[in-house]
Amino acid sequence: MIELEGVPELIDPVMVAAFEGWNDAGDAASTAVAHLEREWKGEVFAALDAEDYYDFQVNRPTVFMDGGVRKITWPTTRLSVVRVGGEKPRDLVLVRGIEPSMRWRSFCNELLGFAHELGVELVVVLGALLGDTPHTRPVPVSGVTSDPDLAHRMDLEETKYEGPTGIVGVLQEACTHAGVPAVSLWAAVPHYVSQPPNPKATLALLNRLEDLLDLRIPQGELPEDARAWQVGVDQLAAEDSEVAEYVQTLEEARDTAELPEASGEAIAREFERYLRRRDVGPPGGHATADGGDASYLRDSPGGKARPPRPPRPGAPGTTEGSSEGSADGPADGPADGSAEGPAKGSSEGGDEDTSED
């Protein structure tokens, strides 16, 4: 039995998790949970034993100086809790870490043990994948679940994905088998500008989480960072005619596919978000759409990196058409690959977040 000291009784708790690695293109998902911790001043109350789940040759510890004393930070997964104020206060249990190298079932069971002891009512796992989506358009965010009743109740898609998966998919299925309602939200990151950070994708995930949980998330500097990110990518793309032409092709495909999205439902969703923000005062290697590998820089480069040239149409190993991506990762290392979630070119991913706040 897990003993929790110093953790008060929680109000309608929801667990929100994200993991660095294969399921975290552009660091969008892990940055979203880090944003929640920072804005709501989360207090860490537990950490999993790094020895049990991590290969330190893959995820190396780091050394730092603390008052002249050398110390080591070990890669692990930490849990913190935040209280969301307002008329209907509730608590979020935030889980942020690195996709484990081994013992995934034990890893998920340990997290579920915390969820049980804390009375968690819903688990939401955030992820990000690489897809054929233009950086100039709103970031598509797909919401999926394995529970048909939950899909109907929360207006999500029931996942039909088959193929390699990552810790996001494994944790979601572990929740389902344990009788804990679970949802995964996936942001599609442009594959031609995959290096972190991607504040636009992070913001889209937080907006979708807002809608899902019916709460207001303080955005801080994310909207400004997202605009600056897009301007920077615009400038880089403009310097290469092939990249600019490729982006235009993606834009045309996206706009054609989304003509029906100019619907009353999409407009109503944006209006509800606007009202929520106006009326509430300030509160207290990666998954890809096509299963292939994609270059990914773990650390942000010192300067802006040029987007890689897009594949030429008809070149070996390329496919026609666009994709909003499927989402989840493989169990073996940091390589990018096929992903849990919507199939390429399909609507499996469900609702898209179309905001650019």
Side-chain angles (χ1 to χ4, degrees):
M1 179 176 178
I2 297 175
E3 297 291 339
L4 297 175
E5 296 183 1
V7 179
E9 184 175 353
L10 303 184
I11 303 173
D12 300 330
V14 172
M15 179 176 282
V16 180
F19 304 94
E20 297 177 20
W22 195 81
N23 295 146
D24 193 24
D27 285 359
S30 58
T31 302
V33 174
H35 177 86
L36 297 177
E37 289 179 340
R38 182 172 59 254
E39 292 294 325
W40 280 322
K41 298 177 173 55
E43 297 182 5
V44 175
F45 65 86
L48 305 191
D49 190 342
E51 292 280 350
D52 292 340
Y53 304 116
Y54 295 101
D55 180 346
F56 298 138
Q57 290 183 320
V58 176
N59 296 290
R60 293 186 177 273
T62 57
V63 179
F64 68 99
M65 300 297 293
D66 182 12
V69 179
R70 289 170 63 85
K71 294 186 177 180
I72 295 179
T73 298
W74 296 92
T76 188
T77 294
R78 294 178 172 84
L79 292 85
S80 60
V81 63
V82 299
R83 170 73 44 95
V84 182
E87 294 182 1
K88 296 188 297 182
R90 76 181 315 167
D91 293 303
L92 298 183
V93 178
L94 304 179
V95 180
R96 182 163 65 100
I98 304 170
E99 184 176 66
S101 308
M102 62 194 80
R103 301 186 182 93
W104 284 20
R105 286 174 291 188
S106 298
F107 180 88
C108 293
N109 287 337
E110 189 164 354
L111 290 180
L112 283 171
F114 282 107
H116 175 73
E117 290 299 319
L118 294 167
V120 166
E121 300 177 346
L122 173 70
V123 175
V124 181
V125 193
L126 307 182
L129 56 100
L130 300 178
D132 295 335
T133 182
H135 72 277
T136 53
R137 296 294 185 266
V139 176
V141 177
S142 305
V144 296
T145 180
S146 300
D147 185 337
D149 295 334
L150 190 64
H152 177 74
R153 190 166 67 251
M154 304 190 77
D155 194 22
L156 302 166
E157 285 292 321
E158 184 181 357
T159 180
K160 303 295 184 182
Y161 172 77
E162 296 179 323
T165 189
I167 194 61
V168 171
V170 172
L171 178 57
Q172 182 173 344
E173 288 306 301
C175 290
T176 300
H177 290 305
V180 179
V183 173
S184 60
L185 301 180
W186 290 95
V189 172
H191 68 84
Y192 57 88
V193 57
S194 60
Q195 64 271 16
N198 190 318
K200 186 173 182 178
T202 295
L203 184 60
L205 279 170
L206 292 174
N207 285 338
R208 187 67 179 86
L209 184 64
E210 256 190 349
D211 294 340
L212 185 74
L213 302 182
D214 191 24
L215 52 80
R216 178 182 180 251
I217 297 174
Q219 295 184 343
E221 298 179 355
L222 271 177
E224 182 179 347
D225 291 343
R227 285 189 290 269
W229 176 87
Q230 180 162 327
V231 169
V233 179
D234 285 342
Q235 293 172 346
L236 292 170
E239 295 173 4
D240 190 312
S241 59
E242 289 188 19
V243 172
E245 183 179 351
Y246 180 63
V247 171
Q248 183 178 1
T249 301
L250 293 178
E251 290 172 339
E252 292 172 353
R254 173 75 178 275
D255 294 345
T256 300
E258 290 192 346
L259 284 176
E261 274 299 304
S263 63
E265 182 179 347
I267 294 171
R269 190 162 56 241
E270 290 303 308
F271 185 61
E272 288 173 0
R273 182 177 294 127
Y274 163 76
L275 291 178
R276 182 163 54 229
R277 295 199 172 282
R278 186 194 66 176
D279 294 339
V280 180
H286 296 80
T288 62
D290 58 5
D293 290 348
S295 61
Y296 175 79
L297 302 179
R298 181 63 177 270
D299 299 317
S300 301
K304 292 181 178 178
R306 179 185 297 275
R309 291 178 181 270
R312 294 180 179 275
T318 64
T319 58
E320 297 291 337
S322 66
S323 165
E324 301 311 335
S326 38
D328 221 313
D332 52 354
D336 299 327
S338 175
E340 176 103 1
K344 179 161 185 157
S346 77
S347 59
E348 171 66 17
D351 294 340
E352 288 184 356
D353 185 297
T354 57
S355 70
E356 292 186 287
D357 335 292

